Structures are given as C-alpha cells and as structure tokens.
C-alpha cells in the first residue's frame, strides 16, 4: 500500500506559523461573544467568539484550518502557568471584518465531573473564554497548522467537508473563502450533532445553501427521531443517505475530503466510503489491505495508518 498513487493530490500553499509563541504572545481584544447553537436549549453551551488582532503580526496572516493558541491566566494545580490551548479558526482568510483584523473561533464550555470523586471539572481555557465580556484582552499565540487548509488553487477541486461538534469551525471559514472568491467548485458540508438544537451556525449555513447552488448543507442528527422513522442518523450514514448528490462528487477525481471532529468519527466515515464506493473510486481516498476490505464492519482506529491508509486527498483533523 502507498499513499502516493492517488490522482490529483492537492498542492497546498505555504502558510505562516508560530508568529507568536507562548513565551511572547500577542494581545487581542474580544469584540463579540454569542451563542452559536441552533437553540439555547442545546445540551452544550457553544459560543462564537471574535477577537481583534489589529496591530499585531496576526492581522491578515491566518487561514481557516489553522489554529490559534489561547493562554488562560493563572496557574495549574502544580503551580505552573496554564499551557496553551489550541482552537480552530472559524473566520475566513479576510477575517470577520474583511481586512483580516477580526478573527473568530468556536468554543464549547467543558463542564464535567471527575469520575473518581464526583467533583466538578471545568475546562480551564474554554470557560475562561466563554466568561469574557466584550472589550476583555486575551493572550494569543500562533497561528498553528499547515496541512488542514484549502489548496493553492481552490477552483481545481470540489469539496466534501464532514464535521461533528465544534469541528465545524474551520469549515465555516473555508466555505466563506470559497464563496467570497466566486469559486464555482461543488461544495458539500455534512454536519453531525445529537439534536437539531445542537447544530452550530445552522441558520448561516442554511442561508448560504439557499443562495449558492454549488453549496449544499447536509445534517445528521444521531439522537433525534428521523422524519421517516429510520435509525439514528450519524454523520457517516449521511453519505449513503444522500448518495444521489454526494456519490458523483466522491467518484470525481476533483474531490477532496476534509474531516474534523471528535476522535473516532473518522473511522465510521471511512467505513461508509468503503461500503458505498466502487474499488477504483475508493482508491482515490483510501488504500486498505484485502483482509481489511473483506471485513469492513470490523475496522477500528488502531488499523489506521497500518491496514487502512488515507491518501493525500483526505484531510483528517480529530481531537479527544
């Protein structure tokens, strides 16, 4: 198996990285913070947060798919400064303001409990960011990342974007970049969430889908009853359910697949691609041993990069 045989491997642009490091961060200012779930009744609290980096070297030099680092003030339990937490940029290359000075990210409050003693656990950086009011200053680093970005010539490809949860953040910026550039490429966005209330930027994507024929928006609700009475709809199952639209895209040698979300969701997506795609088309994205292809239902994450290898036409960005 080799990852070098896939046709039309994307040429990625050079991007700038690590303009600011943890020992010398930049100062940014919060200019907007608002709930971005489809409803305030959503199980989780997720905020769209915008911050002004004007006057810093970050201005106009960050791309969607890259991440920005946030340094929460204070110290951890061992008396050390809090480590940098990375958050994917949700803003297009030109920023929220059109000039690259206002960047944004998508932050879910982490609220849990320690299983051992049942005490409350609060994510340090996520709650710090979500608590901040407009006008507050934050310390930022970055940008980070050079692989999970749009290609040098976006018009040379079509795109299938697949997200769960806050994994939607980079695709918000990418979709905006493609549309703002007048790119006529076909773009499909698949968004997975437990319930309709948990969908992020839902009105925004619905509006874009109604205004641009080349962009389609597909949702998958895993815990909500389906209109047709069918089984739970996970994001990977949406590939098969919307095969009439997505199948021709996946079989095209123009198409790139980007996947962002919680670790584990990528294996289900690769399994579904292996189930629904002819062998010659599948090989554009995935190489698997004959033994693996004979037992697709038995795939697991430990097989990635060994029995199952993605090609350079698949971009994976998953997190714990």
């Amino acid at each position: 198996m080799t990852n070098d045989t896939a046709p039309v491997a994307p040429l990625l642009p050079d991007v700038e990285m690590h303009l600011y490091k943890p020992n010398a961060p930049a100062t940014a200012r919060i200019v907007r913070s608002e709930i971005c779930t489809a409803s305030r009744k959503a199980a989780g609290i997720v905020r769209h947060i915008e911050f002004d980096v004007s006057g810093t070297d970050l201005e106009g030099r960050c791309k969607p798919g890259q991440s920005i680092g946030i340094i929460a003030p204070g110290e951890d339990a061992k008396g050390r400064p809090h480590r940098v937490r990375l958050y994917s940029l949700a803003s297009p290359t030109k920023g929220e303001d059109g000039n690259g000075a206002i960047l944004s990210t998508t932050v879910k409050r982490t609220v849990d409990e320690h299983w051992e003693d049942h005490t409350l656990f609060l994510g340090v950086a996520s709650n710090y960011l979500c608590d901040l009011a407009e006008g507050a200053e934050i310390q930022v680093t970055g940008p980070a990342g050079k692989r999970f970005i749009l290609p040098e010539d976006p018009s040379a490809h079509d795109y299938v974007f697949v997200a769960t949860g806050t994994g939607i953040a980079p695709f918000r910026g990418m979709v905006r970049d493609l549309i703002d550039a007048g790119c006529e490429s076909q773009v499909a966005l698949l968004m997975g969430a437990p319930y309709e209330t948990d969908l992020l930027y839902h009105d925004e994507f619905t509006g874009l889908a109604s205004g641009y024929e080349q962009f389609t928006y597909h949702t998958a609700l895993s815990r909500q009853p389906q209109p047709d009475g069918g089984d739970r709809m996970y994001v990977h199952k949406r590939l098969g359910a919307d095969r009439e639209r997505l199948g021709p895209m996946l079989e095209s040698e123009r198409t790139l697949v980007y996947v962002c979300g919680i670790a584990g969701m990528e294996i289900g997506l690769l399994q579904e691609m292996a189930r629904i795609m002819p062998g010659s088309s599948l090989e554009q994205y995935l190489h698997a041993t004959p033994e693996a292809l004979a037992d697709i239902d038995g795939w697991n994450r430990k097989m990635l990069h060994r029995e199952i290898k993605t090609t350079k036409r698949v971009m994976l960005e998953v997190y714990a």
Side-chain angles (χ1 to χ4, degrees):
M1 293 184 299
T2 173
N3 283 26
D4 298 324
T5 59
V8 200
L11 175 64
L12 300 180
D14 291 329
V15 293
E16 297 184 89
M17 297 199 301
H18 310 304
L19 298 172
Y20 292 94
K21 299 181 179 180
N23 61 349
T27 299
R29 180 173 54 85
I30 301 292
V31 295
R32 185 182 182 190
S33 179
E34 63 182 18
I35 294 291
C36 62
T37 50
S39 169
R40 286 185 173 270
K41 295 181 180 180
I45 301 171
V46 187
R47 301 191 75 86
H48 171 80
I49 298 176
E50 299 180 4
F51 47 98
D52 187 348
V53 296
S54 57
T56 75
D57 290 339
L58 295 171
E59 186 175 355
R61 299 167 77 177
C62 299
K63 289 184 175 293
Q66 292 190 293
S67 298
I68 206 80
I70 302 295
I71 304 176
E75 300 176 338
D76 63 20
K78 296 183 179 180
R80 299 172 299 195
H82 289 301
R83 62 180 176 84
V84 173
R85 266 72 166 190
L86 294 179
Y87 291 91
S88 293
L89 291 169
S91 42
T93 299
K94 292 183 178 180
E96 302 291 345
D97 61 327
N99 297 308
I102 308 297
L103 305 181
S104 67
T105 189
T106 312
V107 183
K108 180 179 180 180
R109 284 188 184 270
T110 301
V111 180
D112 207 338
E113 70 172 30
H114 294 284
W115 289 10
E116 299 83 0
D117 57 11
H118 311 293
T119 56
L120 184 66
F121 171 78
L122 298 176
V124 173
S126 66
N127 285 283
Y128 161 67
L129 279 173
C130 289
D131 284 347
L132 293 176
E134 294 179 8
E137 292 187 343
I138 56 173
Q139 300 298 296
V140 298
T141 67
K146 62 180 181 179
R147 168 69 176 162
F148 200 83
I149 56 176
L150 290 174
E152 180 76 37
D153 180 8
S155 64
H157 300 278
D158 295 321
Y159 305 90
V160 174
F161 297 145
V162 186
T164 59
T166 55
I168 196 69
F171 301 136
R172 178 180 180 269
M174 290 180 184
V175 169
R176 286 288 186 185
D177 269 5
L178 292 168
I179 290 176
D180 291 348
C183 182
E184 296 184 359
S185 297
Q186 297 297 305
V187 182
L189 172 62
L190 285 65
M191 172 61 181
Y195 299 97
E196 188 173 11
T197 54
D198 299 305
L199 292 169
L200 305 179
Y201 304 112
H202 181 60
D203 290 344
E204 182 174 344
F205 289 126
T206 299
L208 290 173
S210 65
Y212 298 91
E213 185 177 354
Q214 74 272 25
F215 172 64
T216 58
Y217 173 51
H218 311 251
T219 61
L221 307 176
S222 60
R223 298 181 187 174
Q224 188 166 308
Q226 303 304 309
D228 61 1
D231 293 336
R232 294 180 176 186
M233 179 60 71
Y234 292 95
V235 66
H236 62 274
K237 291 293 186 182
R238 181 54 68 190
L239 280 179
D242 291 0
R243 189 172 181 176
E244 182 176 345
R245 161 69 180 179
L246 300 174
M249 288 188 66
L250 288 172
E251 292 177 17
S252 167
E253 292 188 358
R254 284 177 48 89
T255 301
L256 305 178
V257 177
Y258 289 69
V259 183
C260 189
I262 192 165
M265 56 90 74
E266 77 277 28
I267 195 68
L269 181 73
L270 298 177
Q271 285 174 301
E272 192 69 13
M273 291 174 67
R275 291 187 187 105
I276 68 174
M277 295 183 66
S280 58
S281 296
L282 179 65
E283 289 174 1
Q284 300 178 56
Y285 310 104
L286 185 67
H287 298 305
T289 63
E291 293 79 11
L293 288 173
D295 182 24
I296 296 172
D297 291 343
W299 289 10
N300 58 66
R301 293 196 76 226
K302 292 182 180 180
M303 298 171 69
L304 285 175
H305 313 301
R306 299 187 307 182
E307 295 94 337
I308 307 164
K309 294 185 178 182
T310 56
T311 73
K312 294 177 181 178
R313 290 156 56 87
V314 177
M315 319 292 187
L316 297 177
E317 188 81 18
V318 296
Y319 49 86

